[in-house]
Amino acid sequence: MSQFNSELRRLILDEARHLMITQGYNSLSMRKIASKAGCSATSIYLYFRNKDDLLHALIEEGFEMLRARLVETAATIQDPLQRLEALCREYVQFGLLNPEYYEVMFLLRPEHMERYPVEKFRRARKNLELITDTLNMFDRGGQYKAGDAYVRAHAITASLHGAVVLVNAGRLDVRIDKSIFVDTVILQIMQSLKSYTIQAH
Amino acid sequence: MSQFNSELRRLILDEARHLMITQGYNSLSMRKIASKAGCSATSIYLYFRNKDDLLHALIEEGFEMLRARLVETAATIQDPLQRLEALCREYVQFGLLNPEYYEVMFLLRPEHMERYPVEKFRRARKNLELITDTLNMFDRGGQYKAGDAYVRAHAITASLHGAVVLVNAGRLDVRIDKSIFVDTVILQIMQSLKSYTIQAH
DNA sequence: TATGTTTACTTAACAGTGTTAACTTTTTAG
DNA sequence: CTAAAAAGTTAACACTGTTAAGTAAACATA
């Protein structure tokens, strides 16, 4: 494997990203990337172990982008409920605005990551921590079991994820306005939290 | 295209299903299916227009299975809230027990269906009707806008779908018990409905 | 029974995929 | 200026879905 900081490596990644965004993840082939980058297909293997490794670099980019947005959102809003709702909106918006990134980040069967077992989902979970922490702000009384908010955070992201996937796959009934749908999903989450917060106070 | 009722056609479908379930959707190739079915790869094209068409047959099977379960559940439980919760559980259980079916049914990018634009998502929406109808049972006062329950049903299935995908992809933190997670997601849905039903009465 | 026609199916091939091994060129170091 | 290391290439392999052309079987008609 050649050095990490390389002109060609950056170029390959740039062209891969561009192809993914414009043509879609499906039509991402080593030869196409190489062609755009002006090198041979096998040259990619000088900088990436395989296609999965290259994809993984894009996946990391995506999680970094998403995380940056969520961290910023969390930092600017203090009120727990408002912050949580803003986090939800930010999450969905990211998914809808970056469908190709989102797809490659959350491929159903992540065989693409099997070779990275350690930090496999660490980045994805960092985003969950933001939600978990916000949820824990409701638990001033401390009556919830440890990890309760963490499970709840998983449930929330599951809902958000489902919403993003449903819209991006074009599975939403065309008669339903997308933003109304998103509002409904987030409303559902926030409404469910009422019981959570009422109990907590 | 040869006749619909054919020994070989049934055999091909059987072997494709078996391969999908045992080896996974990814390793489903025309040549493998043909080999198992004891014919040449091109013979498949006598009964299916292409691989997508073959997959579509399996997708239809999946939706038929899911629908049968939901219809039965809806028929046996009268109380709206209990029925809705049971539908949710049934949906998630189907997804978790038939991960390969579920994956092929809800591939993120359904290019596989683009050639069937008319009845594309009709079957998927039939399941939504079951939930929509149940939701409408809350609206005896008639204060909700038409289609409100339909959007709400979409939001609910989005949450359920997200939960299934998250678990099936192995994205759930190993420290979290799967059934507890599922319970939490469904609890979230049911809690959110409290506001819905309270308003309705 | 023999002939022609449709149906069923196969083989060969094409263009594409990720990936490896072997070879060549370029860069760097002594 | 030469030897070694790095960078990049071409050729090839084993796959993939799919099409065109050819063959074998079934069937209908005279």
Side-chain angles (χ1 to χ4, degrees), chain B residues 35-77:
Chain B
S35 166
K36 288 277 180 185
C39 68
S40 73
T42 54
S43 284
I44 300 177
Y45 290 84
L46 298 171
Y47 302 98
F48 302 93
R49 274 180 285 176
N50 44 43
K51 193 184 180 183
D52 291 352
D53 195 31
L54 173 55
L55 278 178
H56 192 72
L58 293 174
I59 289 170
E60 295 247 350
E61 275 187 19
F63 276 114
E64 206 46 61
M65 288 163 62
L66 174 57
R67 178 161 178 75
R69 280 159 176 68
L70 294 182
V71 165
E72 193 193 339
T73 301
T76 50
I77 303 180

Side-chain angles (χ1 to χ4, degrees), chain A residues 2 8 31 39-40 42-43 46-47:
Chain A
S2 303
L8 183 54
R31 286 177 176 83
C39 69
S40 72
T42 53
S43 284
L46 297 171
Y47 301 98

Side-chain angles (χ1 to χ4, degrees), chain A residues 4 24 44 101 122 130 194:
Chain A
F4 192 83
I44 300 177
Y101 260 115
R122 222 184 38 179
L130 281 171
K194 276 184 191 167

Side-chain angles (χ1 to χ4, degrees), chain A residues 1-2 7 18 27 33 43 53 94 97 127 158 169 176 187 195:
Chain A
M1 189 91 71
S2 303
E7 180 73 10
H18 185 249
S27 62
I33 297 167
S43 284
D53 195 31
F94 172 83
L97 290 181
N127 294 331
I176 297 180
L187 180 73
S195 328

Side-chain angles (χ1 to χ4, degrees), chain A residues 33-177:
Chain A
I33 297 167
S35 166
K36 288 278 181 185
C39 69
S40 72
T42 53
S43 284
I44 300 177
Y45 290 83
L46 297 171
Y47 301 98
F48 302 92
R49 272 181 284 176
N50 45 43
K51 192 183 182 184
D52 292 351
D53 195 31
L54 173 54
L55 279 178
H56 192 72
L58 293 174
I59 290 169
E60 295 247 350
E61 275 186 21
F63 275 113
E64 207 46 61
M65 288 164 62
L66 173 57
R67 177 160 179 77
R69 281 161 175 67
L70 294 182
V71 165
E72 193 192 340
T73 300
T76 50
I77 302 179
Q78 295 305 317
D79 178 65
L81 275 177
Q82 283 185 20
R83 176 190 290 182
L84 191 72
E85 183 167 344
L87 285 173
C88 289
R89 289 200 185 282
E90 201 65 40
Y91 184 99
V92 172
Q93 195 173 43
F94 172 83
L96 299 186
L97 290 181
N98 308 281
E100 299 297 341
Y101 260 115
Y102 197 87
E103 179 176 2
V104 80
M105 285 165 68
F106 293 103
L107 289 173
L108 185 53
R109 300 265 163 190
E111 287 92 5
H112 297 278
M113 302 193 191
E114 272 178 13
R115 303 175 200 185
Y116 316 87
V118 181
E119 50 177 332
K120 206 173 179 180
F121 302 125
R122 222 184 38 179
R123 274 176 194 272
R125 280 180 195 145
K126 273 195 178 178
N127 294 331
L128 278 168
E129 283 170 24
L130 281 171
I131 296 178
T132 307
D133 292 347
T134 309
L135 286 175
N136 273 327
M137 292 170 79
F138 299 135
D139 189 27
R140 297 234 172 78
Q143 65 268 55
Y144 293 118
K145 282 177 291 189
D148 207 44
Y150 190 51
V151 179
R152 196 99 190 178
H154 267 86
I156 290 174
T157 51
S159 294
L160 299 174
H161 178 63
V164 170
V165 167
L166 206 141
V167 173
N168 278 353
R171 293 202 129 83
L172 191 66
D173 195 317
V174 287
R175 290 166 291 185
I176 297 180
D177 186 74

Side-chain angles (χ1 to χ4, degrees), chain B:
Chain B
M1 188 92 67
S2 304
Q3 57 178 345
F4 191 85
N5 287 326
S6 161
E7 181 72 11
L8 184 53
R9 191 196 135 95
R10 202 184 45 75
L11 201 73
I12 289 168
L13 215 47
D14 286 348
E15 294 301 337
R17 186 187 313 108
H18 185 248
L19 271 174
M20 176 189 75
I21 292 171
T22 56
Q23 318 280 337
Y25 154 73
N26 286 348
S27 62
L28 231 179
S29 86
M30 300 300 261
R31 286 176 175 84
K32 279 183 194 168
I33 296 167
S35 166
K36 288 277 180 185
C39 68
S40 73
T42 54
S43 284
I44 300 177
Y45 290 84
L46 298 171
Y47 302 98
F48 302 93
R49 274 180 285 176
N50 44 43
K51 193 184 180 183
D52 291 352
D53 195 31
L54 173 55
L55 278 178
H56 192 72
L58 293 174
I59 289 170
E60 295 247 350
E61 275 187 19
F63 276 114
E64 206 46 61
M65 288 163 62
L66 174 57
R67 178 161 178 75
R69 280 159 176 68
L70 294 182
V71 165
E72 193 193 339
T73 301
T76 50
I77 303 180
Q78 294 305 316
D79 178 65
L81 276 176
Q82 283 185 19
R83 177 191 289 182
L84 190 73
E85 183 167 343
L87 285 173
C88 289
R89 288 200 184 281
E90 201 66 39
Y91 184 99
V92 172
Q93 193 172 44
F94 172 83
L96 299 187
L97 290 181
N98 308 280
E100 299 296 341
Y101 260 115
Y102 197 87
E103 179 176 2
V104 80
M105 285 165 69
F106 294 103
L107 289 174
L108 184 53
R109 299 266 163 191
E111 287 91 7
H112 297 277
M113 303 194 190
E114 273 178 13
R115 302 175 200 184
Y116 317 87
V118 181
E119 50 177 333
K120 205 174 180 179
F121 302 125
R122 222 185 38 179
R123 275 177 193 271
R125 278 178 196 146
K126 273 194 179 180
N127 294 330
L128 278 169
E129 283 170 23
L130 281 171
I131 296 178
T132 308
D133 292 347
T134 310
L135 286 177
N136 273 326
M137 292 170 79
F138 299 136
D139 189 27
R140 296 235 171 78
Q143 64 269 55
Y144 292 118
K145 283 178 292 190
D148 206 45
Y150 190 50
V151 179
R152 196 99 191 177
H154 267 85
I156 290 173
T157 50
S159 294
L160 299 174
H161 178 64
V164 170
V165 167
L166 206 141
V167 173
N168 278 352
R171 292 202 131 81
L172 191 66
D173 195 316
V174 286
R175 290 167 292 185
I176 296 179
D177 186 73
K178 283 182 191 175
S179 64
I180 289 180
F181 168 69
V182 171
D183 286 347
T184 305
V185 170
I186 295 177
L187 180 72
Q188 176 184 280
I189 292 170
M190 299 309 292
Q191 279 178 337
S192 81
L193 275 174
K194 275 184 191 168
S195 327
Y196 198 72
T197 54
I198 287 168
Q199 281 178 34
H201 287 152

